[in-house]
Amino acid sequence: MSETPNIPWVIILRAPQMPEPLKVRLENTIVLGRIVEGDVQQPDVDLGVYGAEEFGVSRRHLSMHTEDNRLWITDLESGNGSFVNGERLKPNEPYPLAHGDTLQIGRLRLETQVVVSPMYGSGAHKQPSIQMEDELPAGRGQLVLIVEDDIEVAKVLSLILERAGYTTRISREVIGAIRLFNQKRPSAVVLDLMLPDLDGLEFCRYVRRDTQQNDIPIIVVSAAKTQSSVSQLLDAGANVFLGKPVSAQELRHVVGSLIAQHESGKAGIATKALVGTAPLRAMPSESRRNSAVLFIAGNSEAPITLTVNSPISFGRSSNTGQLGDKSLHVNLSRYDAVNLGVSRVHMFLHFRDGKFFVEDADSINGTYINGDPINPRTLVPVDNADEIRLGQLRTYIYFLDDKEVESET
């Protein structure tokens, strides 16, 4: 596979006084400094919002550029100097900057993190059965699904793969990724772990339990590269783990190898069990058909496991019923339900004729399935892994379908 030119770098600069890290996309040359109104030449990256003047940052302090697939910085004759790992730079002379270096601009100290680069990466971990090919043809338009909540990183990953001959679709969360995955089968998935709704592990497990498409190659891209996290990912069914910084060259090679092997029928991954259904599988077989697991987005507590013998109400009151009563009620108050607009009795969950249904109980702020509002007092069917939103409280439902139940009874 031929090299693709002009792949941008994505660099993150962090400092304690920054409420959010500063993300820089670098294709050629940029200048860091502080903007002063009336100056003819302004910097590309303004550090003024981080107290740059108090830290002795000059108006045009230093430049950052790429050359020969390396990252370089040059002090632009600044008043208070520039430093890398404590070493003062000579003005107008380029110095290499690497992932993990400490960059000091005047007295402003910044930790450097390279997220994506053309050639420099932290290496790949893979399933033992997978062998990477030496020579690969260019992509032929095969679809790659990218699941990454950082839109700048997602765009660069998409650019890398599209220049290698693939087409891409981007999702910024797990539930959206599940919908895209089911709409059109991708040839591979590039998956981040830290996502706003559910952990990327849940999407990996979801794919591996899908009886029709469970062998799609999954490449996890993450900064969480401890041995335990890598082992957990491979156990969940990921084919390859790429730690950040991600090398564009390695990403193209891994994606190309896995797609080629998958198309030839060589490199299958055994089906894994979705973690969301694990509590259901521990139940007696006769109870599984009408049982469901409800995850609360952004909450690390154990999911809510329910057996729906009769309609179950959800809301923020606690006096509608108790667990075990015929009129079961789930009190969502501990999930900040009041501030998220959940009514006292907001919705009902039904199980009829082998299917689950949601009914809005004339709530004030509405009930939504995958972002679409539903009409009050109307039973609306839900599918496995659908998002059910009560006001602004997001939940995700998992259950075993009929085929799974029959295969285990």
Side-chain angles (χ1 to χ4, degrees):
M1 186 178 296
S2 60
E3 295 299 318
T4 55
N6 302 323
I7 293 298
W9 294 61
V10 179
I11 303 149
I12 290 178
L13 302 174
R14 302 177 187 273
Q17 64 269 35
M18 290 181 173
E20 296 290 337
L22 173 63
K23 192 179 296 91
V24 176
R25 175 173 170 152
L26 179 62
E27 298 187 50
N28 295 301
T29 301
I30 59 173
V31 174
L32 285 73
R34 55 184 176 86
I35 290 178
V36 176
E37 187 176 354
D39 279 0
V40 176
Q41 287 186 307
Q42 301 282 14
D44 301 296
V45 178
D46 180 24
L47 300 173
V49 294
Y50 308 115
E53 186 172 7
E54 291 79 3
F55 283 101
V57 177
S58 298
R59 298 180 180 191
R60 290 173 60 85
H61 197 106
L62 65 78
S63 67
M64 186 178 292
H65 74 279
T66 63
E67 186 178 344
D68 298 329
N69 291 314
R70 296 189 69 185
L71 182 63
W72 302 83
I73 58 170
T74 303
D75 181 84
L76 301 177
E77 298 182 346
S78 64
N80 294 297
S82 303
F83 306 79
V84 175
N85 299 327
E87 178 185 352
R88 188 178 186 120
L89 311 185
K90 293 180 180 180
N92 298 317
E93 290 190 16
Y95 286 76
L97 185 69
H99 176 76
D101 281 350
T102 298
L103 172 63
Q104 185 173 325
I105 305 175
R107 295 182 299 279
L108 179 62
R109 293 171 60 88
L110 301 166
E111 297 302 320
T112 305
Q113 177 187 354
V114 178
V115 181
V116 183
S117 78
M119 302 283 289
Y120 172 67
S122 64
H125 303 265
K126 60 185 180 64
Q127 296 282 357
S129 60
I130 294 174
Q131 299 296 321
M132 295 299 167
E133 306 293 336
D134 293 329
E135 297 294 332
L136 293 168
R140 307 183 315 280
Q142 298 99 320
L143 176 64
V144 179
L145 174 59
I146 298 171
V147 190
E148 166 65 67
D149 68 320
D150 188 317
I151 193 60
E152 192 62 53
V153 173
K155 286 179 178 179
V156 173
L157 296 178
S158 175
L159 177 65
I160 292 167
L161 295 174
E162 289 184 354
R163 286 183 175 175
Y166 303 100
T167 58
T168 63
R169 297 184 76 179
I170 296 172
S171 176
R172 301 180 67 179
E173 59 181 9
V174 170
I175 298 303
I178 289 174
R179 290 200 291 272
L180 290 178
F181 183 88
N182 290 323
Q183 285 172 9
K184 185 175 182 180
R185 175 174 177 163
S187 294
V189 175
V190 176
L191 174 67
D192 189 21
L193 284 185
M194 304 300 292
L195 297 165
D197 52 353
L198 293 173
D199 193 292
L201 270 172
E202 299 305 325
F203 181 76
C204 188
R205 290 174 172 134
Y206 175 82
V207 172
R208 289 296 174 241
R209 68 173 289 278
D210 188 304
T211 57
Q212 300 300 317
Q213 308 178 55
N214 60 15
D215 58 350
I216 296 294
I218 299 177
I219 302 97
V220 172
V221 173
S222 176
K225 51 188 176 184
T226 63
Q227 187 58 49
S228 61
S229 63
V230 171
S231 297
Q232 186 180 30
L233 282 162
L234 297 180
D235 287 343
N239 298 70
V240 173
F241 174 90
L242 290 177
K244 293 179 180 178
V246 178
S247 158
Q249 182 184 51
E250 188 164 46
L251 178 65
R252 292 193 303 269
H253 188 229
V254 167
V255 169
S257 291
L258 293 179
I259 288 179
Q261 291 176 17
H262 184 256
E263 289 177 345
S264 68
K266 290 180 181 178
I269 294 292
T271 301
K272 303 290 179 177
L274 175 68
V275 70
T277 62
L280 304 179
R281 296 178 189 278
M283 291 181 169
S285 58
E286 62 272 12
S287 302
R288 297 180 194 176
R289 189 182 301 275
N290 62 337
S291 295
V293 173
L294 209 68
F295 283 86
I296 309 297
N299 192 280
S300 59
E301 292 185 23
I304 302 169
T305 303
L306 301 163
T307 299
V308 190
N309 293 315
S310 58
I312 297 177
S313 59
F314 293 77
R316 55 182 177 84
S317 62
S318 58
N319 57 0
T320 305
Q322 301 295 327
L323 291 176
D325 289 353
K326 291 183 179 180
S327 56
L328 180 62
H329 178 77
V330 177
N331 183 7
L332 300 170
S333 297
R334 68 180 183 275
Y335 304 111
D336 200 25
V338 173
N339 292 328
L340 293 175
V342 178
S343 298
R344 292 183 179 274
V345 179
H346 196 108
M347 78 165 194
F348 293 91
L349 179 65
H350 302 259
F351 183 79
R352 294 185 181 180
D353 301 322
K355 295 182 178 180
F356 288 94
F357 298 83
V358 165
E359 175 190 1
D360 180 80
D362 292 315
S363 66
I364 296 174
N365 294 303
T367 303
Y368 303 78
I369 297 178
N370 298 326
D372 296 324
I374 65 174
N375 293 324
R377 300 301 176 181
T378 301
L379 270 63
V380 180
V382 290
D383 292 324
N384 207 350
D386 273 353
E387 177 193 77
I388 303 172
R389 178 157 60 88
L390 296 76
Q392 294 302 314
L393 179 66
R394 294 188 299 164
T395 72
Y396 306 97
I397 188 168
Y398 291 90
F399 46 82
L400 299 178
D401 61 27
D402 288 342
K403 291 181 179 179
E404 290 173 295
V405 173
E406 291 169 1
S407 67
E408 297 186 10
T409 56

